[in-house]
Amino acid sequence: MMLNSSMKGIIASFLFIGTLYAQQPNGNSGFKDKPFVLVENKKGPTLGYSPASGVKIITENGLKFKDLNRNGKLDKYEDWRLSTEERAKDIASKMSLEQIAGLMLYSSHQAVPALESGTGSGIYRGKTFAQSGAKLDDLTDEQIKFLKQDNLRHILVTKVRNATIAAQWSNNVQAFVEGIGLGIPANNSSDPRNKATANAEFDAGAGGDISIWPDGLAMAATFDPSIVKQFAEIASREYRALGITTALSPQADLGTEPRWYRIYMTLGENAQLDADMIKAYIDGFQTSTGKDEIGGGWGYKSVNAMVKHWPGGGSGEGGRDAHWAYGKYAVYPGHNFDMHLYPFTEGAFKLDGKTKMASAVMPYYTISYGQDPSGQNVGNSYSKYIITDLLRKKYKYDGVVCTDWIITHNEGSRPDIVQGKPWGVEKLSEAERHYKALMAGVDQFGGNDEVQPVIEAYKIGVKEHGERFMRARFEASAVRLLKNILQVGLFENPYLDPAESQKIVGNPEYMKAGYDAQVKSVVLLKNRADVMPVSGKKTVFVPKIYYPAVKDVWSSKLSTPHFDYPVDTTLLKKYYALTTDPAKADFAIVFVTSPYSADGGYTSKDRKAGGNGYLPITLQYGTYVANDAREHSLAAGDPVIDPSITDRSYKGKVVTATNTMDLRTILDTKTMMGNKPVIVVVNASKPMVMGEFEKEVDGILIHFGVMAQAALDIISGRKEPSGLLPVQMPANMSTVEKQKEDVPFDMECYKDTEGHLYNFGYGLNWKGVIQDWRTEKYSIR
């Protein structure tokens, strides 16, 4: 059988990786059965290297250094005594065009081991993991290719089997790249992983054996930046133990549009609270102290924070999201663009800690409609005004700018298909899109595994500006990218002790701290006649919930409709006796999720029927008619897949929430329980209209994606509620339609039967409405 050059390279790489385990050096050896050696410096950092890579140790004046390029002499970039700036510039000057172009790549989603299909899938010597006989920590064919042939050094890690496997895989990656070219280490990254569940491709690594914390709106509901700081300090230790040195977080988008799909990942609609929490988050992740500090607050415990999404993605028209063509436009009817910058300019770029600012920024997919004075409407990463004029020049940001994922790929054949997101530059070639983003000021391309389009972009630039200009442009990005690898100590020692990693990740101390924070994020909205706490040996009725068939927008798989308990019954029985007969129950708890629209505001069915395809996004369970929607949309247009649609208005159209049966379950439970208490626990991903059921129930708890146990601890009185609403709860859908996507606090809020207004900052404890330092500092003024 004839082998092509690519396959030969992969086989050779597998043989190289095999030698990592075969060599067990004596002397200053590392841990048993590990593919690396540790070398101590009495007055400097401990060095880690792989003998199989060909790297050796240089000794100069009694100090030891790694000869990463294997030339037998100490180069500037190998000298850990020099500044990261000086070292980065030295490396950049030595790199080939192909090496810099590879450094500009950020991988697609990688699971460890690779999944059998879909996002995070991969093959091992041409076979799936199950068929291959590969080890759990082996590199996939795809990983070997993009690391060696494409010179990629930034890997997005999603699901991992456990901390031990993650550490071993990370060691294998680092040993592999150490033997290539200049020996530049891999900078592995992660989307948020310290949350209870994974909901989408941008948090696919969540859950599992790691400390679980409130995230997004849940964290905002604590109203306490010190909790954010505690989380970040713990999460950064867990990340480093997994081999992760960049966090693709925090999400600083201001949550001013209540229908937005990703509002649950924001820190709410108050710009000051958002900024304070963003500052605490980044300080906690990035800061190393004492012997762990290399310089300027950076060091061996630091994790780079990539704050997102500049200049804010929370004002999508009608609440539609820019992962899809139907949601590409962010609009500013309230002329409030500058407020959306505040969490970045006053938070991420003005840290209290020594690292000073977030080391990286990710722009959102959106077209910030009508904001560029030149009149150009393109996705943020393609906009010279958004990246260079504002971010780089006005706000003096000189860190890494990395695009959101696959913005240079082609879009799908319909607006509701998730593929590339080349918003505003749909008609350009892939190479031209890379070039336009580079000229706008971008350093790196998220989700792009192949180097060739970047090289082609370079050639376009050479024709337009000359070789000298483009080489300088590429080296400027290379320096930024290399500084982020250097400042966390990867050039000195990128290796991990897997046994130590297993001890660190998800240890009992961290798990307890995360759970305590979860409890503090739960908001008590209603407690009529002090129905809670419910203590003692009571019997509870918990109805099963109907889960409708829903198409997963990321995998296109259709779920199976079914009835099931929304909470583990074993957990419920630790608090109360559980009955299936309402007549035998002392009280009922109904666990539901907030109303959601599975179509996201667009359906091809409406388009095929002669409509424009656009629908309302509802925040109520029952059928909704959008009579108060805009007569005409503020933005529209897709030059490739549907150029005939020039108006995205959905006025007068009708929708019903996908989970409308949740409302029926609440009301039926009340009927069955008669005069006995009914408590509703809402797992909310967005604000919602409470008026459909509030009058019928005695108690309401709302949380934003934390564990059900946190709610049960409050209901039972084991814990006292302290959470506050991080967003307004609308009185009705009319006020939702009339509010402006870019403006906070502009809805009529719901008032319950107890006279309480469900406004930002509202919450109850056992004594009544909470009024403390948090409500004073962050109250609406």
Side-chain angles (χ1 to χ4, degrees):
M1 181 178 69
M2 297 293 291
L3 298 177
N4 60 33
S5 59
S6 177
M7 184 58 69
K8 288 179 180 178
I10 289 174
I11 292 174
S13 300
F14 272 116
L15 293 173
F16 168 78
I17 292 172
T19 67
L20 301 179
Y21 296 96
Q23 298 189 32
Q24 296 298 321
N26 297 318
N28 291 316
S29 62
F31 305 100
K32 184 180 178 181
D33 298 326
K34 304 299 185 299
F36 62 92
V37 172
L38 295 180
V39 178
E40 292 186 3
N41 269 301
K42 291 183 179 180
K43 295 183 179 181
T46 296
L47 308 180
Y49 73 99
S50 167
S53 69
V55 168
K56 298 186 184 304
I57 296 297
I58 295 173
T59 301
E60 186 174 287
N61 298 323
L63 299 176
K64 300 180 185 300
F65 306 87
K66 292 165 66 173
D67 184 14
L68 287 165
N69 61 0
R70 301 166 295 283
N71 67 354
K73 65 178 183 179
L74 181 63
D75 292 280
K76 284 185 177 181
Y77 83 91
E78 297 164 337
D79 189 344
W80 43 260
R81 296 168 299 184
L82 302 179
S83 70
T84 56
E85 181 83 20
E86 188 172 359
R87 296 175 73 186
K89 287 181 177 178
D90 183 57
I91 309 172
S93 70
K94 290 176 167 62
M95 295 176 76
S96 67
L97 164 63
E98 291 75 15
Q99 288 171 329
I100 295 178
L103 196 64
M104 290 177 166
L105 303 177
Y106 222 124
S107 85
S108 54
H109 300 65
Q110 305 296 308
V112 180
L115 304 180
E116 299 293 295
S117 62
T119 301
S121 63
I123 55 175
Y124 300 81
R125 305 193 192 193
K127 298 179 180 179
T128 66
F129 177 75
Q131 299 169 334
S132 67
K135 297 178 181 178
L136 291 167
D137 56 11
D138 280 352
L139 274 61
T140 65
D141 296 357
E142 294 87 351
Q143 290 162 1
I144 291 169
K145 176 186 177 297
F146 65 54
L147 289 170
K148 186 172 184 179
Q149 296 183 23
D150 295 289
N151 296 295
L152 183 149
R153 291 296 179 272
H154 294 80
I155 305 174
L156 172 55
V157 181
T158 58
K159 295 179 181 178
V160 297
R161 184 63 59 92
N162 55 48
T164 299
I165 297 303
Q168 291 172 180
W169 176 85
S170 177
N171 287 344
N172 290 341
V173 169
Q174 299 295 4
F176 182 59
V177 298
E178 194 172 68
I180 301 172
L182 296 167
I184 298 171
N187 183 357
N188 300 330
S189 72
S190 174
D191 279 309
R193 19 188 358 106
N194 296 79
K195 52 189 293 187
T197 56
N199 298 295
E201 51 89 17
F202 41 76
D203 58 8
D209 299 325
I210 196 168
S211 65
I212 305 299
W213 293 74
D215 183 69
L217 287 180
M219 187 62 88
T222 70
F223 272 57
D224 190 347
S226 70
I227 294 177
V228 182
K229 183 76 172 292
Q230 180 191 28
F231 152 72
E233 290 172 346
I234 287 174
S236 66
R237 294 185 181 96
E238 293 182 310
Y239 274 38
R240 289 304 299 251
L242 293 169
I244 294 166
T245 46
T246 292
L248 302 186
S249 55
Q251 185 167 325
D253 308 271
L254 202 55
T256 55
E257 169 45 60
R259 296 163 292 186
W260 185 33
Y261 169 54
R262 296 188 73 174
I263 192 173
Y264 74 95
M265 298 186 75
T266 74
L267 291 164
E269 59 183 314
N270 183 301
Q272 189 60 59
L273 177 62
D274 197 337
D276 289 350
M277 288 191 160
I278 290 296
K279 188 179 294 188
Y281 191 113
I282 299 171
D283 269 334
F285 263 100
Q286 292 190 166
T287 304
S288 290
T289 59
K291 63 181 178 59
D292 296 315
E293 183 178 357
I294 296 172
W298 290 103
Y300 303 104
K301 292 291 192 293
S302 298
V303 173
N304 293 289
M306 184 180 291
V307 63
K308 57 190 183 184
H309 305 88
W310 177 264
S315 63
E317 184 166 16
R320 297 184 293 270
D321 182 67
H323 274 82
W324 297 267
Y326 60 67
K328 66 176 68 174
Y329 296 106
V331 295
Y332 302 89
H335 308 288
N336 209 32
F337 177 81
D338 286 348
M339 180 177 282
H340 288 258
L341 304 182
Y342 190 90
F344 297 91
T345 62
E346 305 307 310
F349 305 159
K350 288 185 180 179
L351 303 181
D352 294 330
K354 292 164 67 176
T355 64
K356 297 183 179 179
M357 62 175 58
S359 65
V361 168
M362 182 189 295
Y364 203 39
Y365 298 119
T366 46
I367 295 170
S368 296
Y369 192 74
Q371 299 309 302
D372 187 341
S374 73
Q376 189 177 62
N377 284 303
V378 293
N380 292 315
S381 289
Y382 295 111
S383 171
K384 182 177 179 293
Y385 173 74
I386 295 293
I387 305 301
T388 294
D389 296 350
L390 283 183
L391 182 60
R392 297 282 194 209
K393 293 182 178 179
K394 183 174 181 178
Y395 295 108
K396 308 199 183 307
Y397 182 78
D398 194 38
V400 168
V401 176
C402 177
T403 75
D404 212 328
W405 261 232
I406 62 173
I407 72 161
T408 57
H409 295 191
N410 291 329
E411 62 184 307
S413 59
R414 300 196 316 265
D416 54 350
I417 292 178
V418 180
Q419 288 186 14
K421 297 128 180 106
W423 309 145
V425 295
E426 294 90 346
K427 293 185 177 181
L428 297 183
S429 69
E430 192 168 345
E432 289 169 336
R433 291 169 190 161
H434 280 81
Y435 176 66
K436 185 172 179 63
L438 285 167
M439 292 302 100
V442 160
D443 299 301
Q444 196 168 32
F445 300 93
N448 292 16
D449 295 341
E450 298 183 356
V451 75
Q452 194 56 41
V454 184
I455 295 173
E456 291 175 16
Y458 180 89
K459 293 176 181 178
I460 294 172
V462 169
K463 288 182 180 179
E464 191 164 326
H465 299 286
E467 185 89 37
R468 184 175 180 181
F469 174 90
M470 285 306 293
R471 177 69 198 190
R473 172 65 191 86
F474 267 47
E475 284 195 24
S477 286
V479 169
R480 295 187 187 109
L481 292 161
L482 290 162
K483 284 171 66 177
N484 285 3
I485 303 175
L486 284 159
Q487 64 198 10
V488 296
L490 289 175
F491 273 81
E492 279 57 70
N493 181 23
Y495 297 103
L496 302 167
D497 175 0
E500 186 65 20
S501 293
Q502 191 66 45
K503 291 178 183 177
I504 292 171
V505 178
N507 70 60
E509 178 188 349
Y510 293 175
M511 295 294 276
K512 182 181 183 303
Y515 180 72
D516 288 346
Q518 290 185 62
V519 173
K520 292 176 181 178
S521 77
V522 179
V523 185
L524 177 60
L525 294 179
K526 183 177 183 178
N527 195 24
R528 183 163 61 198
D530 293 331
V531 66
M532 290 176 275
V534 183
S535 58
K537 296 291 185 179
K538 298 292 195 303
T539 299
V540 66
F541 170 67
V542 176
K544 291 184 177 182
I545 293 294
Y546 175 68
Y547 295 91
V550 177
K551 185 177 181 181
D552 186 322
V553 296
W554 310 107
S555 66
S556 296
K557 293 180 180 179
L558 190 67
S559 65
T560 302
H562 62 286
F563 278 97
D564 201 357
Y565 279 108
V567 180
D568 183 355
T569 55
T570 303
L571 175 65
L572 285 168
K573 291 174 183 177
K574 292 180 180 179
Y575 293 84
Y576 306 106
L578 180 63
T579 181
T580 58
D581 184 355
K584 296 179 180 179
D586 296 305
F587 75 110
I589 308 175
V590 186
F591 293 89
V592 295
T593 56
S594 58
Y596 63 90
S597 301
D599 52 52
Y602 181 94
T603 174
S604 56
K605 292 181 180 179
D606 180 80
R607 185 73 187 97
K608 290 177 181 177
N612 63 3
Y614 291 87
L615 297 175
I617 296 175
T618 185
L619 301 182
Q620 68 180 41
Y621 290 115
T623 298
Y624 167 59
V625 183
N627 290 325
D628 292 319
R630 288 191 182 102
E631 195 71 40
H632 301 286
S633 66
L634 299 176
D638 194 306
V640 176
I641 57 177
D642 211 345
S644 65
I645 301 301
T646 58
D647 193 337
R648 295 182 169 196
S649 175
Y650 50 81
K651 185 177 177 65
K653 290 186 178 180
V654 181
V655 293
T656 302
T658 303
N659 60 329
T660 186
M661 283 295 291
D662 282 7
L663 175 61
R664 188 72 268 154
T665 301
I666 295 171
L667 299 179
D668 286 349
T669 300
K670 174 59 180 174
T671 298
M672 290 186 290
M673 292 297 293
N675 293 325
K676 291 183 287 188
V678 175
I679 297 168
V680 174
V681 177
V682 182
N683 181 355
S685 60
K686 299 176 183 178
M688 61 182 289
V689 176
M690 296 282 183
E692 294 176 295
F693 66 87
E694 177 273 322
K695 296 176 182 178
E696 304 300 322
V697 302
D698 302 278
I700 302 174
L701 282 167
I702 189 168
H703 68 87
F704 301 93
V706 299
M707 298 164 68
Q709 182 180 346
L712 289 169
D713 269 349
I714 289 174
I715 292 172
S716 64
R718 297 182 187 182
K719 303 284 186 179
E720 183 168 7
S722 62
L724 303 169
L725 283 178
V727 287
Q728 293 181 320
M729 292 291 151
N732 48 56
M733 280 302 297
S734 177
T735 191
V736 173
E737 295 290 3
K738 292 173 182 177
Q739 59 87 36
K740 296 175 179 177
E741 287 91 338
D742 59 325
V743 177
F745 315 129
D746 62 341
M747 292 192 295
E748 176 191 352
C749 296
Y750 182 75
K751 180 179 284 190
D752 70 12
T753 56
E754 311 304 292
H756 296 141
L757 198 65
Y758 291 3
N759 205 345
F760 174 87
Y762 165 74
L764 298 171
N765 57 23
W766 300 143
K767 296 178 182 178
V769 176
I770 296 171
Q771 292 181 318
D772 57 19
W773 67 267
R774 301 172 300 161
T775 55
E776 174 63 26
K777 183 172 183 179
Y778 298 112
S779 62
I780 302 172
R781 294 185 176 89

